[in-house]
Each structure stands twice: as C-alpha cells, then as structure tokens.
C-alpha cells in the first residue's frame, strides 16, 4: 500500500529558483494538505484542498502555490525560492476535515 | 489563527515509567488526534478522538477528549525505548498541530 507518496525526498535550490514538490495519494481521499516543519517546531499548514479544483490558504501560504486537478495529486510550487523556505515539507491526506490525516515521508528542501 | 498549547515541551523518563502529556486550545475542535514522529519520518497517527469525553486506548496508549472540547491528554504506560520520538496533538478542521512533546527514554 503506497498511501501518500512525496517526491523528491531531498532537494537543494539556489535563491530565486523555482520547483514543484509532488504529492500523490492512492486512498481516494478528498482532503489533501501541505505542511512545513522547521527544526524543533510543529507543523504549519501552507495550503489545503477539499477536493479536485478547490484549494484554500492555510497559516503560511506566502511564497507558495498549489493546484488540485485530480483527486490523487496535490503539487506544491515554489516560484522564487528564498532561504526562509528551507524546511521539511509534508503532504497529507484524509477522508474529511474531522478525520485523521495520513502523512508522506517528507521532502527536505534547502535554499542556498 | 487557532493555536494549540502542548506540554511539556520535553520529557526524560526511565524505562518502565508512565508518561502523561496534554494539549489545550482556545478553540473548540470536533476531533482531537495524537501523532508520533520518528526522526526523518512523517507523523504517524496514534489515536483519534471523535466525541467529547471519549476515552480511547491503543495498546499502552490512552487518550481522552476533554468535555469542553478544548483539551486532550495522552498517557503512555510502562514506557519502552522505542517510545522515543516527538508526540504531537492536533485539532481537526483542517488539522492544526501543537508544537510537540519530545520524549526521551533512559534504559
């Protein structure tokens, strides 16, 4: 069972570069989320989606964009990478807003 | 935004001891969740609580959903070395996380 799959696992970006973090889930969950986790900190919600074609901002959306063209995929885009975006990014999915979410393994991003 | 206050921030305990951690919020949640995160991994769901007052167990773990729906606690009984990690509480709707409790177990 794949669950939530994130790619890549690691990435180093130069300031100003752009990239897309990929996330796919095979559990037919409507809800998907992107979080970032800074060292020694909890998880902060960047964006979430309640279904294909619908996205909404979380606590820390600035500098990021998302799209949800299918139920399975929820990519996160960084347009102009900044050192402040150095973090570990986690994608998650759930059946609904009141259900526990399942997390991917994370993408460790460093911006230099 | 919604904030969850999780305590303690860290704990050092002897193997075999019981552990208790809690989480409070200024907002009401319909669901409380407890996760564990091992180094280099994503959080893994331990227990989900769906009803105020609910007490749920999962092996050596017990969690309760507070009557006011603004708090929850997690107990771990007879701790073992593999309990080491960071424990997060979360309120659902969408998920909001506490800052975590880092548990260290001394053999």
């Amino acid at each position: 069972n794949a669950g939530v799959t994130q790619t890549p696992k690691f990435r180093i970006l130069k300031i100003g570069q752009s990239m897309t973090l990929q996330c796919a889930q095979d559990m037919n969950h409507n809800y998907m989320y992107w979080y970032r986790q800074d060292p020694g900190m909890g998880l902060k919600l960047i964006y979430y989606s309640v279904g294909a074609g619908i996205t909404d901002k979380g606590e820390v959306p600035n500098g990021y964009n998302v799209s949800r063209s299918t139920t399975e995929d929820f990519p996160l885009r960084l347009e102009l990478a900044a050192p402040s975006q150095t973090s570990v990014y986690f994608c998650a999915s759930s059946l609904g807003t009141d259900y526990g979410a399942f997390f991917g393994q994370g993408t460790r991003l460093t911006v230099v | 935004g919604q904030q969850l206050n999780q305590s303690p921030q860290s704990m050092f305990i002897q193997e075999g001891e019981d552990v208790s951690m809690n989480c409070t919020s200024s907002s009401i949640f319909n669901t409380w969740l407890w996760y564990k995160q091992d180094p280099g991994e994503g959080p893994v769901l331990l227990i989900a609580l769906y009803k105020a007052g609910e007490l749920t167990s999962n092996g050596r773990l017990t969690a309760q959903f507070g009557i006011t729906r603004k708090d929850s606690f997690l107990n771990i009984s007879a701790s073992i070395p593999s309990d080491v990690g960071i424990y997060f509480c979360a309120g659902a709707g969408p998920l909001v996380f506490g800052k975590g409790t880092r548990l260290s177990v001394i053999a």
Side-chain angles (χ1 to χ4, degrees):
Chain A
N1 293 333
V4 179
T5 303
Q6 289 183 239
T7 55
K9 286 190 167 48
F10 303 93
R11 184 72 187 267
I12 298 175
L13 277 183
K14 293 185 178 177
I15 294 172
Q17 285 186 321
S18 62
M19 78 163 293
T20 299
L21 283 67
Q22 301 291 346
C23 176
Q25 53 95 6
D26 61 0
M27 296 174 281
N28 203 31
H29 286 168
N30 282 326
Y31 284 66
M32 294 188 75
Y33 314 83
W34 274 105
Y35 290 87
R36 61 176 285 172
Q37 185 178 32
D38 297 323
M41 302 295 285
L43 292 96
K44 293 187 177 179
L45 182 63
I46 305 172
Y47 271 95
Y48 67 101
S49 169
V50 303
I54 307 168
T55 62
D56 210 344
K57 295 178 181 179
E59 184 184 359
V60 289
N62 291 343
Y64 307 95
N65 280 302
V66 293
S67 60
R68 184 95 182 270
S69 56
T70 67
T71 299
E72 294 78 19
D73 300 297
F74 190 40
L76 177 73
R77 179 123 181 114
L78 284 71
E79 290 293 350
L80 289 169
S84 61
Q85 293 178 305
T86 294
S87 190
V88 181
Y89 291 84
F90 288 102
C91 178
S93 73
S94 69
L95 272 174
T97 189
D98 287 341
Y99 291 85
F102 295 88
F103 282 78
Q105 296 276 65
T107 295
R108 186 175 296 274
L109 176 67
T110 302
V111 182
V112 296
Chain B
Q2 295 170 321
Q3 288 190 348
L4 299 188
N5 299 308
Q6 190 171 346
S7 63
Q9 281 187 322
S10 61
M11 303 180 75
F12 290 84
I13 62 166
Q14 294 280 348
E15 184 177 355
E17 286 185 349
D18 296 343
V19 173
S20 185
M21 58 190 80
N22 67 76
C23 207
T24 60
S25 170
S26 57
S27 306
I28 289 173
F29 287 103
N30 290 328
T31 302
W32 279 91
L33 306 155
W34 286 93
Y35 286 84
K36 183 189 179 208
Q37 186 178 29
D38 292 325
E41 302 286 330
V44 173
L45 182 64
L46 297 174
I47 289 182
L49 301 156
Y50 297 108
K51 204 186 321 186
E54 179 182 356
L55 185 72
T56 297
S57 293
N58 179 7
R60 293 179 296 105
L61 308 178
T62 301
Q64 183 156 31
F65 191 155
I67 289 289
T68 64
R69 294 196 285 158
K70 291 184 177 182
D71 63 306
S72 177
F73 72 74
L74 175 72
N75 287 340
I76 306 172
S77 63
S79 58
I80 59 178
S82 62
D83 290 335
V84 166
I86 304 175
Y87 292 79
F88 291 101
C89 63
L95 284 183
V96 177
F97 283 81
K99 291 187 177 179
T101 294
R102 186 178 296 271
L103 179 64
S104 300
V105 179
I106 304 165

